[in-house]
Amino acid sequence: MNQSKTRITALDFARALAIFGMIIVNYKLAMQAELSGPGWLQSIAGLFEGRASALFVLLAGIGVTLMTSKARSSMNGELIRQNRNSLCKRAAFLFIAGVLLMLMDWSADILHYYAVFMLVAAVLITASDHKILGLFSFILLASQLFLVLFDYSKGWDLSFKEYMGFWTLEGFLRNLLFNGFHPIFPWLSFFLIGMWIGRKHWLNKDNRSKVLLYSLLGTVVFESLSYLLIKRTSPILGNEAAHYLFGTKPMPPTMLYVLSGISSAVAIIAICLYVADKFAQSVLTQAVIHTGQLSLSHYIGHVVIGLGMLHITGYLENGSLVFAMAYGCLYFIIAIIFSHIWRKWMTRGPIELLMRKLC
């Protein structure tokens, strides 16, 4: 398999893993099962929190860069215009899809944030690497500053499950920009760094071992830095404030969380490059790759179908982490089987086909 094809299929493989992690996190959240179950299972489930969705967004940035590479390299005005129009149409599609999911009482939606990312990508098609890194740095620093200047808890109830005033203009914008599940500040950083990585040759075969080593090292460094800062500042600021400013959980999303999340996401992509290359002929590998190619369908499906089934059967709020994890794994296995069969007949997933037709 040539390097270019391996790189693309590896990104699809990684996208499938991101979907799996998001399914686990979202089902745990929907079933209110965060604090139930044995400690070891809570630890495993906790590994996916904020990491799967960060990987998903970073992969989107890489994907957009690869999609627009011809327009950027040729600087053909008509091709650039076509790419921008396509990204704007996709943004509108994703925004409407996200709003529909939220109207179905799915408050943790990521698609309406994605819509903003696509609009930013449309503007930045021809931007230089330095400008993208500059905007990344600005978003990252501004986000950390906002945590100090503004009330992150505003709009949320005490359990951070319900967001009051979400459908007002002020509440919607506050949630979108600052304190939602995946706010623009700082989640746009994941997308921007993905765009930047997509322009590099980091994902070529010759660089895989270095990328894996440095990304794992980065994860360890940022997690260790978080631990030390919390330990040193807790006596001065208080334990809660120290975690608020220097923690690596997705809520609140600190600078260290973003940097650690980027490092772990890149490490997973590097591992997927090895897997997609070494086990390219495996039926399981191909099925997982097909699952990644249907990621938008599976994201919407895991909410509409997966949570819909739980709502109908009365299991939606059972509070069992064991059940949430088992149900998430079962749903993903079914998604893999469905994807493999579907791709024998169709080149794109059902939602992907609809978006392609409209956009």
Side-chain angles (χ1 to χ4, degrees):
M1 186 182 293
N2 63 54
Q3 284 202 28
S4 178
K5 188 174 181 181
T6 299
R7 184 167 65 247
I8 298 299
T9 54
L11 296 178
D12 288 329
F13 194 98
R15 200 170 284 112
L17 297 185
I19 284 291
F20 172 64
M22 292 170 73
I23 288 172
I24 294 296
V25 171
N26 290 340
Y27 283 177
K28 183 181 71 168
L29 176 68
M31 296 184 210
Q32 301 180 17
E34 291 93 336
L35 301 178
S36 66
W40 63 269
L41 193 59
Q42 290 185 38
S43 298
I44 292 174
L47 292 175
F48 297 104
E49 289 181 5
R51 304 289 169 162
S53 46
L55 172 60
F56 200 54
V57 175
L58 191 143
L59 285 166
I62 295 176
V64 166
T65 291
L66 296 179
M67 185 186 83
T68 59
S69 61
K70 187 175 180 180
R72 187 177 63 257
S73 60
S74 67
M75 292 303 287
N76 181 290
E78 178 60 23
L79 192 55
I80 291 169
R81 186 189 65 80
Q82 289 175 5
N83 281 182
R84 281 184 172 145
N85 286 343
S86 177
L87 287 170
C88 289
K89 288 178 181 178
R90 291 187 182 195
F93 181 92
L94 293 171
F95 184 80
I96 292 170
V99 169
L100 290 175
L101 289 178
M102 289 187 290
L103 289 172
M104 295 173 61
D105 203 27
W106 178 240
S107 59
D109 171 67
I110 197 174
L111 297 183
H112 68 291
Y113 299 103
Y114 247 69
V116 178
F117 303 156
M118 291 297 166
L119 291 177
V120 172
V123 174
L124 297 178
I125 287 177
T126 58
S128 67
D129 292 359
H130 291 304
K131 287 182 179 178
I132 289 177
L133 282 180
L135 183 56
F136 163 81
S137 301
F138 169 77
I139 295 290
L140 195 59
L141 292 170
S143 302
Q144 186 73 20
L145 183 61
F146 290 168
L147 291 178
V148 178
L149 296 178
F150 304 120
D151 180 7
Y152 182 77
S153 65
K154 189 171 183 179
W156 288 105
D157 64 4
L158 294 177
S159 64
F160 270 75
K161 295 292 189 298
E162 299 291 332
Y163 199 91
M164 275 67 74
F166 178 82
W167 293 109
T168 65
L169 180 60
E170 178 189 349
F172 186 88
L173 289 176
R174 186 196 317 119
N175 184 281
L176 179 72
L177 295 172
F178 174 55
N179 70 346
F181 279 101
H182 311 95
I184 305 307
F185 291 87
W187 278 78
L188 181 56
S189 298
F190 291 113
F191 188 82
L192 291 170
I193 206 67
M195 287 187 66
W196 184 76
I197 290 171
R199 297 183 177 193
K200 304 302 175 184
H201 299 291
W202 289 9
L203 305 183
N204 290 344
K205 191 171 184 178
D206 296 339
N207 299 323
R208 288 178 200 167
S209 57
K210 291 181 181 178
V211 169
L212 179 58
L213 176 62
Y214 292 149
S215 57
L216 288 175
L217 182 61
T219 305
V220 172
V221 168
F222 293 124
E223 289 293 327
S224 300
L225 186 58
S226 169
Y227 173 80
L228 291 173
L229 284 171
I230 290 172
K231 186 176 181 180
R232 294 293 177 86
T233 60
S234 288
I236 303 168
L237 302 175
N239 190 56
E240 186 176 342
H243 277 86
Y244 176 81
L245 292 173
F246 305 118
T248 55
K249 292 293 184 182
M251 294 181 75
T254 67
M255 182 188 300
L256 288 174
Y257 158 69
V258 173
L259 295 172
S260 176
I262 289 170
S263 298
S264 60
V266 172
I268 292 170
I269 292 171
I271 293 170
C272 290
L273 285 164
Y274 280 109
V275 173
D277 189 17
K278 187 172 181 60
F279 302 102
Q281 304 306 316
S282 165
V283 174
L284 178 59
T285 300
Q286 290 301 312
V288 174
I289 288 169
H290 292 158
T291 306
Q293 292 168 348
L294 273 64
S295 58
L296 180 57
S297 294
H298 290 312
Y299 177 81
I300 293 175
H302 96 279
V303 177
V304 177
I305 300 172
L307 293 181
M309 288 292 293
L310 292 176
H311 179 73
I312 292 171
T313 56
Y315 279 94
L316 186 56
E317 296 179 358
N318 66 13
S320 168
L321 181 59
V322 173
F323 179 82
M325 295 280 284
Y327 185 74
C329 290
L330 176 62
Y331 186 91
F332 187 66
I333 291 170
I334 294 173
I336 292 175
I337 296 170
F338 170 82
S339 301
H340 194 52
I341 295 172
W342 179 275
R343 281 288 281 109
K344 288 181 181 295
W345 307 101
M346 307 293 287
T347 57
R348 292 181 175 86
I351 303 298
E352 286 82 359
L353 283 171
L354 178 61
M355 185 170 70
R356 179 79 173 181
K357 186 175 182 179
L358 297 175
C359 306

